[in-house]
Amino acid sequence: MCGIAGVIHRGKAVGVGQEMTAMLQSLKHRGPDSTGFAVYGVTKPDEYVMRLKLAEAEDFETDYNIRDKIRDRQALVDNRLAELGAQTIEVEQPTPYAFRYRLRFSGDTKQLASDLEHIEGGEVLSFGNSLELIKDLGDATVVSQQYGLADFQGTHGIGHTRMATESDVDIRSAHPYWAYPYNDISVVHNGQITNYWIMRREMERLGHRFMSNCDSELLAVYTANNLEQGATLEDSLRASIKEIDGVFTYIVATDKELGMAKDTMAAKPMVLYESDDIVALASEEVAIRAIVPREIDTSDPYDEEVRVWQR
């Protein structure tokens, strides 16, 4: 019984980090194990933002040398970035295991991410011109405070509150997922994919990588594969309803779009609010009311299987 939410503003940047925090905190009862955000800032064509982690939070409970290991791992990251020709503009470390790099880079982003993930403990959470993907253990307020999201300005975002049912309680299994290796694409999901292993093996045969055993990651990999083949976001969403089995509702964000899809049974809820300047959607109405401070009409449940909005 996880909670998902998304918001997109048409034509302007706002405090989307604060909005997503409010929406996800209101859905805490649907998933207390972890919280994740994919927020989209102002695009800078000549710069990338990379979110990276070099350990899991629980490593600090079992490995007394983990801080020294992280320091050594970061040195390897810096060396590899330099070897690949990336110019590091700024590095932030919001938690002992999580890093935010601002880079200039004109090379192969897939190779960059792959090389960094060969470093022990390394996982590139997101890479893009505008996407920043943040996820950790705890509720939305805790994670937002850890990573300084209250000041984040952007046009749109998606998020997830997780109740672990079939995979571990760790950052690796938390949502959102980046659609590796595509810049600025992320996914959140509520439900269960029953042909997960069949679809996963097919994606792995095509050369795609998985970082967890969470069925939700499949949707990110599946989306990346479809876009690689030239599909539009809407094409991919519609194809998923036919090719993926189970009960599910999921939201996909790109640098310019927000899209959602539901299986044909529509067992997992989605409530929608849309006006001239904002679209907000969530598992429950309470999340939308957290950011729209006026009386709104969400009386009819959202029953379309696929929809895409532009910022």
Side-chain angles (χ1 to χ4, degrees):
M1 195 181 83
C2 301
I4 60 176
V7 63
I8 186 165
H9 291 266
R10 294 181 170 121
K12 64 178 180 179
V14 300
V16 73
Q18 202 166 42
E19 287 185 338
M20 287 306 308
T21 300
M23 294 183 81
L24 294 177
Q25 189 64 22
S26 72
L27 296 173
K28 176 182 176 179
H29 58 283
R30 297 184 66 92
D33 294 325
S34 61
T35 306
F37 304 78
V39 286
Y40 289 78
V42 178
T43 301
K44 298 177 181 178
D46 62 335
E47 291 184 10
Y48 291 101
V49 176
M50 177 177 67
R51 290 279 184 169
L52 170 77
K53 70 176 177 66
L54 293 175
E56 291 287 339
E58 60 266 26
D59 291 343
F60 288 81
E61 300 174 2
T62 59
D63 189 343
Y64 294 110
N65 297 315
I66 191 62
R67 292 183 185 274
D68 292 337
K69 291 179 180 179
I70 290 172
R71 185 176 61 248
D72 294 342
R73 293 168 186 174
Q74 188 188 9
L76 292 174
V77 169
D78 292 340
N79 290 339
R80 190 63 186 128
L81 289 173
E83 290 170 359
L84 291 170
Q87 178 190 352
T88 300
I89 302 169
E90 180 182 45
V91 181
E92 300 175 41
Q93 188 176 356
T95 73
Y97 43 83
F99 297 82
R100 178 185 186 268
Y101 278 77
R102 194 155 61 91
L103 306 166
R104 289 193 178 94
F105 183 61
S106 58
D108 184 340
T109 57
K110 182 176 182 179
Q111 180 188 355
L112 184 149
S114 178
D115 285 2
L116 296 184
E117 288 182 348
H118 280 94
I119 296 170
E120 184 180 2
E123 180 182 355
V124 178
L125 299 178
S126 66
F127 195 96
N129 298 111
S130 58
L131 167 63
E132 300 201 33
L133 197 154
I134 297 103
K135 53 185 178 180
D136 214 318
L137 308 184
D139 66 28
T141 299
V142 169
V143 176
S144 181
Q145 289 175 348
Q146 277 183 305
Y147 289 84
L149 282 174
D151 298 325
F152 189 93
Q153 296 288 306
T155 52
H156 57 297
I158 61 176
H160 186 273
T161 62
R162 181 169 185 258
M163 178 180 290
T165 55
E166 297 184 4
S167 51
D168 295 335
V169 179
D170 55 20
I171 300 171
R172 184 179 293 108
S173 301
H175 305 205
Y177 284 102
W178 171 42
Y180 168 96
Y182 280 86
N183 300 339
D184 297 317
I185 300 173
S186 59
V187 175
V188 292
H189 159 246
N190 177 30
Q192 182 183 35
I193 297 172
T194 54
N195 63 340
Y196 165 72
W197 285 107
I198 294 172
M199 295 291 293
R200 172 170 173 162
R201 291 187 185 104
E202 177 61 23
M203 293 297 106
E204 288 174 332
R205 280 195 293 270
L206 294 172
H208 294 284
R209 71 95 157 101
F210 286 78
M211 296 300 292
S212 75
N213 290 321
C214 181
D215 62 350
S216 303
E217 186 180 11
L218 172 68
L219 293 166
V221 176
Y222 175 86
T223 301
N225 181 72
N226 288 343
L227 297 180
E228 187 176 45
Q229 303 304 315
T232 66
L233 177 58
E234 184 170 349
D235 291 338
S236 180
L237 292 168
R238 293 195 181 281
S240 72
I241 297 172
K242 299 177 181 178
E243 296 176 358
I244 295 177
D245 295 335
V247 289
F248 58 83
T249 297
Y250 72 101
I251 308 173
V252 182
T254 72
D255 61 336
K256 297 181 177 66
E257 296 175 305
L258 194 68
M260 61 79 59
K262 297 194 294 186
D263 71 276
T264 54
M265 290 187 292
K268 296 298 179 179
M270 178 63 69
V271 181
L272 169 71
Y273 169 74
E274 184 170 5
S275 70
D276 291 340
D277 55 3
I278 183 176
V279 175
L281 58 163
S283 300
E284 296 183 21
E285 183 177 328
V286 65
I288 297 174
R289 292 187 178 276
I291 65 165
V292 181
R294 58 184 179 273
E295 189 61 30
I296 58 176
D297 180 11
T298 58
S299 56
D300 294 325
Y302 186 59
D303 58 4
E304 290 187 57
E305 291 178 351
V306 170
R307 185 81 183 273
V308 176
W309 298 270
Q310 305 282 334
R311 65 170 170 82

